């Protein structure tokens, strides 16, 4: 448990940090006094380099608000000068998710987390594991004539993600691969030849990248997961369909990591089981 500062230390810390905050905000005693609605003498007394007396809680809170810092920081109870609202804003961001192979946000997050374990629950088959023909089939309705150009432009990024110095754990519901093999649901209309090619491609990548990349299948009747990606200890990202909701605070990252670990613990098919399962699905297509 962190030891609380004594009254003398807290008063000294308050004077030091109030003076620092005023300097950072380019504020004078007179200007701050006007901003918080108090006498200049009240601030002069608070800034005197002696004693243990602190201003009233109202004055401390008003100073913190006017200077854009937290009262806890002024009192030496926190090492973060940001206000609570600023901390929440920094820990949570909501950004638009364009219909793209690897948009700027995704690629930047993968680069930031290079070397960390990346845990991923995808919406469908992960793009970095797809054949070019499957990418063309999937993205053509959205990108039209620019589909091939978009795929070519993203090729280096997809290759970088496959070959990055990160461990990838991917958890998918069993029905995703079953639906893909059968050509039902999302994959309705996907030609047999392309389904066979994709499964062969998956088998090749699993053989090439294991154990650095491990894919698990869980039973969606027992477990559920929204599409999420956890970039090591740095951030966790929810995909809402049109936006990414990214969290950087440790508590939420740990909660989502525990959720993902539960998907792995209860997986119906482990990474070692997957090749055999893919061969069975492939035989059903043929």
């Amino acid at each position: 448990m962190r030891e609380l500062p004594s009254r003398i230390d807290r008063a000294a810390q308050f004077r030091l940090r109030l003076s620092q905050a005023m300097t950072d905000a380019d504020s004078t005693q007179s200007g701050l006094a006007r901003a918080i609605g108090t006498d200049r003498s009240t601030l002069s007394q608070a800034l005197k380099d002696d004693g243990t007396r602190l201003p009233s809680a109202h004055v401390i809170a008003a100073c913190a608000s006017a200077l854009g810092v937290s009262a806890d920081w002024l009192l030496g109870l926190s090492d973060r000068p940001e206000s609570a609202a600023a901390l929440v804003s920094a820990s949570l961001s909501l950004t638009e998710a364009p219909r793209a192979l690897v948009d700027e946000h995704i690629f930047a997050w993968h680069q930031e987390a290079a070397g960390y374990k990346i845990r991923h629950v995808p919406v469908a088959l992960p793009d970095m594991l797809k054949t070019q023909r499957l990418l063309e089939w999937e993205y053509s309705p959205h990108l039209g004539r620019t589909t091939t150009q978009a795929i070519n432009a993203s090729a280096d990024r997809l290759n970088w993600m496959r070959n990055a110095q990160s461990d990838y754990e991917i958890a998918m519901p069993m029905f995703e691969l079953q639906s893909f093999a059968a050509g039902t649901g999302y994959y309705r209309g996907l030609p047999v030849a392309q389904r066979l090619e994709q499964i062969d491609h998956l088998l090749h990548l699993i053989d090439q990248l294991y154990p650095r990349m491990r894919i698990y299948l869980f039973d969606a009747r027992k477990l559920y997961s929204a599409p999420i990606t956890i970039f090591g200890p740095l951030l966790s990202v929810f995909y809402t369909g049109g936006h990414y909701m990214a969290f950087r605070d440790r508590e939420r990252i740990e909660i989502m990591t525990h959720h993902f670990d539960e998907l792995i613990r209860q997986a119906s098919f482990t990474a070692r089981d997957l090749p055999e399962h893919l061969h069975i699905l492939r035989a059903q297509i043929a």
Side-chain angles (χ1 to χ4, degrees):
M1 182 180 295
R2 180 178 177 177
E3 184 178 352
L4 294 178
S6 67
R7 292 185 64 184
I8 294 176
D9 291 340
R10 187 179 299 174
Q13 184 82 289
F14 173 80
R15 290 191 293 269
L16 178 65
R17 289 189 170 181
L18 179 60
S19 178
Q20 178 184 333
M22 290 173 62
T23 299
D24 292 343
D26 196 23
S27 174
T28 63
Q29 288 186 31
S30 297
L32 181 57
R34 287 194 300 271
I36 67 174
T38 192
D39 297 329
R40 184 177 181 279
S41 59
T42 300
L43 287 180
S44 296
Q45 182 67 34
L47 288 166
K48 281 186 177 179
D49 189 20
D50 56 10
T52 62
R53 186 174 179 178
L54 289 168
S56 68
H58 171 76
V59 171
I60 294 173
C63 287
S65 177
L67 297 172
V69 296
S70 71
D72 282 353
W73 179 77
L74 285 178
L75 292 170
L77 301 176
S78 169
D79 294 327
R80 299 291 299 269
E82 302 95 331
S83 65
L87 287 172
V88 170
S89 177
S91 69
L92 169 63
S93 63
L94 187 66
T95 56
E96 188 175 356
R99 186 69 164 128
L101 282 166
V102 186
D103 67 37
E104 296 298 331
H105 296 296
I106 291 176
F107 191 57
W109 289 328
H110 278 271
Q111 288 181 307
E112 181 182 356
Y116 288 110
K117 179 187 288 187
I118 296 176
R119 300 167 171 91
H120 183 41
V121 181
V123 176
L125 290 175
D127 284 344
M128 68 177 183
L129 304 182
K130 293 174 183 172
T131 64
Q132 176 150 342
R133 289 212 296 171
L134 179 56
L135 291 170
E136 290 171 352
W137 176 86
E138 184 171 6
Y139 284 95
S140 289
H142 309 282
L143 302 177
R145 295 180 179 178
T146 64
T147 302
T148 301
Q149 295 168 327
I151 293 172
N152 291 338
S154 300
D156 289 343
R157 292 185 173 191
L158 292 170
N159 287 330
W160 184 92
M161 290 164 63
R162 277 193 291 265
N163 298 308
Q165 298 304 308
S166 295
D167 281 352
Y168 279 87
E169 281 190 336
I170 299 171
M172 295 190 296
M174 289 189 300
F175 71 76
E176 188 67 39
L177 284 179
Q178 292 166 346
S179 177
F180 174 81
T184 59
Y186 182 81
Y187 303 101
R188 183 178 301 277
L190 181 62
V192 168
Q194 293 189 31
R195 282 181 270 148
L196 291 170
E197 179 187 43
Q198 178 61 60
I199 288 186
D200 289 341
H201 185 61
L202 277 175
L203 286 165
H204 170 72
L205 289 177
I206 290 169
D207 180 64
Q208 179 187 45
L209 300 177
Y210 182 86
R212 192 166 52 79
M213 184 192 72
R214 301 178 296 281
I215 302 175
Y216 300 79
L217 303 181
F218 61 89
D219 188 345
R221 291 177 299 177
K222 299 177 182 178
L223 301 165
Y224 171 76
S225 180
I228 59 172
T229 305
I230 305 162
F231 295 90
L234 305 178
L235 78 158
S236 55
V237 179
F238 274 106
Y239 176 62
T240 67
H243 294 82
Y244 299 117
M245 186 179 295
F247 298 93
R248 288 189 176 272
D249 59 296
R250 185 175 64 183
E251 182 179 359
R252 288 184 177 88
I253 293 172
E254 288 180 350
I255 289 172
M256 294 180 201
T257 299
H258 291 157
H259 163 72
F260 184 92
D261 289 345
E262 187 65 20
L263 297 177
I264 299 302
R265 278 193 293 269
Q266 297 197 37
S268 299
F269 293 93
T270 68
R272 290 182 179 273
D273 301 329
L274 188 60
E276 182 180 357
H277 182 59
L278 286 172
H279 280 295
I280 293 173
L281 291 176
R282 192 187 192 287
Q284 293 173 356
I285 299 174

